[in-house]
Each structure stands twice: as C-alpha cells, then as structure tokens.
Amino acid sequence: MKLWIVGARGSIATTLAAGVLAAQRGLVPLEALLTETAPFAALGLAPLQHVEIGGCDLNPGNLAESAHATLAGVESFAVATIDALRPDLERIAITRGVLRGGGPAVDALAGDQRDAGAAGSAREMLTRLVADIRAFARGEPTVVVNLTSTEPTPAAPLLEWDAAALRRAIDDDDPRIQASTLYALAAIETGCPHANFTPSSGASLPAVVEIAREKGVPLAGRDGKTGETLLKTALAPMFPIRALTVEGWYGTNILGNTDGLVLADPDNKASKITSKKGVLEGILGYPTDGDVRIDYFKPLADHKVAWNFIQFRGWGGHRMRMQFTWEGTDSVLAAPLVLDIARLVLLAQQRGESGPIGALGLFFKTPEGSSEMNLHKQFDALLRWTAGE
Ligand SMILES: NC(=O)c1ccc[n+]([C@@H]2O[C@H](COP(=O)([O-])OP(=O)(O)OC[C@H]3O[C@@H](n4cnc5c(N)ncnc54)[C@H](O)[C@@H]3O)[C@@H](O)[C@H]2O)c1
C-alpha cells in the first residue's frame, strides 16, 4: 500500500512516517492499530511491512530535511531513532502542494514559498496534482490522505453546486475553490481512495461526492477522532442508558503545535469547533448548554490537554456534576488511525464501494455517510461491515 500524504511535513504525517520506517527496521513495535486486532485479521488488508510514503506540502524537498524540526519537543521518537532513519527519510520525496483558500493562517505557514504554492489556475493546479499522484502511485494501490492544516468553511454556494457546476468553476478559476477540493478531485481522477483526516470540508462538497460516485472511488472523512471527542462519544451514551438528563457539557482544549497555531485564527477554528460540537446532540437526542473551546498554548507542543465539565440531572431533578481531563499526544494518537483508515478505505475500493463510506464513521468526528455518533454503535457498524453484512 502506498500513502500519498497531503501535508506530508506536518506533525501527524512525520510521526506516521517515522513510526512506519522505524517499525520496518525493527526499532519500534507497530502498536495501537485497530486493524491489527483479531476481528480484522482475516480480511487480507494491505500489509504494513510494505507501506510506502510520499506526498506534498507547502515546501517541497525530502522528509529528512524537516523531520527533526517537526518532531522537536514532542519526544515521540528519540533523536537517535530519527537519526537512524535519515537515509529512509531522505528517500521520501515531497512535491509542492497547492495553496488556495486556507486563509491568512495557512498562507503564513507557506512563508517565502507562498507565491510558488499559489501559482497557476485551479485547472492547472489540479492537472499538476494528478500528475504527481500518478508518478508516485505507478498503478499500485494508493490512498491519498489529507493531513493539511484546517481550512476555513467553504463559501455557501459551493455546497449547492452539482458536479457540472464545480467543473465549470474550476475552468473559470473561481477563487472560492479551496485546496482541499482540488486534492480530493485529484485523488478521484487518479482512482485513489481519499481519506480526509482534517475538519476542512472541501472534500465533502456534494459535487465532489457526486464525482467520486461517478468514478467509483471511495471517500473516508472527516476530522479524525483522536482525543476529547473520542472520549466524549464513548461517555455520552451512558447518560441516556441511565435516563440521566445532561443539562450542560462544556469543554476546553489547549494545544501547542502548528495545528493549534492555525486554529488560533477564528475562521480556521470555526471549522474545527463545528466538527467537535456536532457529536453530543446526535447521541443524546436533544441540545445541551455549553461550549467547546480551543486555545493555542505553545509550551504544550504536540500534547493536548482537554478539560470537560458535565452537569446532569437524575431522580427528583437532583443535579450532579462530573469532570474529566484528557492528556494526549495528538500526532501519536492520530498516526495509527491514519493507517487503519487507509487500509479500510482500500478494502472498500476492492469491494467496489464508492462515495463516503459510513462504516468508517468510528474514526471521525464528523462521520460522512452515516449519522451515528455513538462510538460503541460505530464500532458495531464497522464490525458488521467488515463481516460483509
Ligand atoms: N492530531 C490530531 O489528533 C488530529 C485530530 C483530528 C484532526 N486533525 C487535523 O489533522 C490535520 C493535520 O494535523 P497536524 O497536527 O499534522 O498539523 P500540522 O500543522 O503539523 O501539519 C499540517 C501540514 O500541512 C501543510 N499544509 C497546509 N496547507 C497545505 C496545503 N494547502 N497543501 C499542502 N500542504 C499544506 C503544512 O505546511 C503542514 O506541514 C489538521 O487539520 C488537524 O486539525 C488532527
């Protein structure tokens, strides 16, 4: 299996690549992979020994040039391990991505490469991405995974376009077309399944879904469920099971990585907050008071601290409260999930499925192709799907 990672120099992508390469050299075990557990053993999923990684980012080059800087302060891999992987990291070629519609926070990440990333019309960008993916895939099973920074929510009219309108807008170089839409279309054009680990919704436009179905390409998305929301969707089902009424659920997150920096921009943050907020009502069946906050706190680097406060009502209207604190390392939680998703979306392709694969909703905060938010029911749905039911 090959992975063409968009945002290949980011924290998750580098953690994923370092883990895969270190495991291939026998330096670390491949742990925390759902698809390596018993229910998935007989599915004949793509073997992990042969995962090959490539991709693009705002700055081209090879992964060795940026691995130290990206992983600095995270301590997910010892410096000696990263050094030992240098020859392998040098072989991971990263092409130039496209910069479009990410807002000032993403433009700032591109630095002096900004003009180069934004060069060309939407059609020219798409043509270049298709050529880059084809050159990497060389006809072998390849999944395109979006691990780029979160984009602002797309302009409303894009949500109403059909495939023909989207194709026309690309030909007209409509400035509202975002990079995430072009990456998804490039994946579809090359026949590669597309997995969107980000909250950006450019890959979820109805027109993109229509084109994916037309071309028979499966989509998985969106916004990986790795931390606070994972815990929330595991815990929230308890309240209706005991007929306890949740009056309010407040959550606040602090994180210090580049993702957190981009999410400090209110437009980019809005996409993430919408994704995080969507889960509770779907599980409880009624709206609750409360908010979800995200704040950039540099000292934490890739570590995330989330504090949640829940007030609920029971017998005789008696009020009770609970609180939890989640402390996770974002990219360490995300990296194996990306591999699980990639293996399963390839399975969907082998089974002839196309469009959003709802059975993969377990992995996402905003599950596409399914309205189920309850983690336990999502897991059951995944098991039923893998069993071919
Ligand atoms: N870590 C988690 O637990 C988690 C969970 C859910 C979702 N996510 C999402 O996953 C994404 C990646 O997270 P991360 O921590 O690796 O972020 P990151 O900021 O470390 O990496 C993002 C990378 O994408 C690149 N990039 C930005 N725009 C691009 C474009 N248009 N084309 C090509 N490359 C581009 C950046 O240069 C950067 O290298 C974010 O959108 C984040 O919100 C992360």
Side-chain angles (χ1 to χ4, degrees), residues 221-304:
R222 73 178 187 272
D223 198 6
K225 185 155 86 168
T226 54
E228 183 204 34
T229 313
L230 173 69
L231 184 48
K232 218 167 164 175
T233 58
L235 177 64
M238 177 191 76
F239 294 96
I241 286 171
R242 280 284 177 274
L244 297 166
T245 305
V246 176
E247 293 189 324
W249 193 313
Y250 172 86
T252 187
N253 297 258
I254 49 174
L255 74 168
N257 56 17
T258 315
D259 183 28
L261 184 63
V262 170
L263 294 176
D265 184 297
D267 288 337
N268 303 64
K269 188 189 307 207
S271 301
K272 186 66 127 188
I273 297 276
T274 307
S275 184
K276 275 177 156 298
K277 269 189 174 169
V279 299
L280 266 190
E281 190 169 343
I283 295 173
L284 299 173
Y286 52 87
T288 54
D289 274 332
D291 204 356
V292 181
R293 291 189 56 87
I294 304 175
D295 287 306
Y296 179 57
F297 181 65
K298 196 174 175 192
L300 275 178
D302 198 38
H303 306 293
K304 147 104 53 75

Side-chain angles (χ1 to χ4, degrees), residues 10-12 57 98 147-150 183 197 223-224 226 258-259 272:
S11 184
I12 301 177
D57 206 297
V98 297
L147 292 178
T148 63
S149 314
T150 305
Y183 288 123
F197 205 80
D223 198 6
T226 54
T258 315
D259 183 28
K272 186 66 127 188

Side-chain angles (χ1 to χ4, degrees), residues 309-344:
F309 180 90
I310 306 148
Q311 180 162 304
F312 57 99
R313 226 177 40 233
W315 183 246
H318 186 73
R319 290 202 159 89
M320 294 160 273
R321 286 161 282 278
M322 81 162 287
Q323 310 174 31
F324 69 77
T325 307
W326 169 269
E327 293 192 42
T329 302
D330 262 3
S331 304
V332 167
L333 290 161
L337 228 62
V338 173
L339 280 179
D340 282 332
I341 294 164
R343 291 174 108 186
L344 292 169

